Amino acid sequence: MLSKAYRFFEYAYLVIAVFFAYEAVNNWSTQRNRAYLFAFFVAVSIFMFFFKRNFRKKMEERNK
């Protein structure tokens, strides 16, 4: 059950990354600094997805 929760939050980071990418594209021509901030959040969200996935897999291997 806990693994399903971890998996849900992994993919939530991808959803957040897509939202921030959309906002970055929308703000690119009008507010460049804000678009850079959103692009940074995209990078952090994608990093967190892979970090959490790696952490979950290690926990599953340890619990077997």
Side-chain angles (χ1 to χ4, degrees), residues 11-48:
Y11 289 106
Y13 281 114
L14 288 181
V15 171
I16 292 168
V18 169
F19 171 74
F20 283 138
Y22 173 77
E23 287 295 322
V25 169
N26 280 344
N27 289 317
W28 190 262
S29 61
T30 58
Q31 299 174 338
R32 187 66 58 101
N33 287 335
R34 191 170 186 178
Y36 286 140
L37 181 65
F38 284 132
F40 172 73
F41 287 146
V42 168
V44 169
S45 296
I46 292 172
F47 169 77
M48 286 300 295

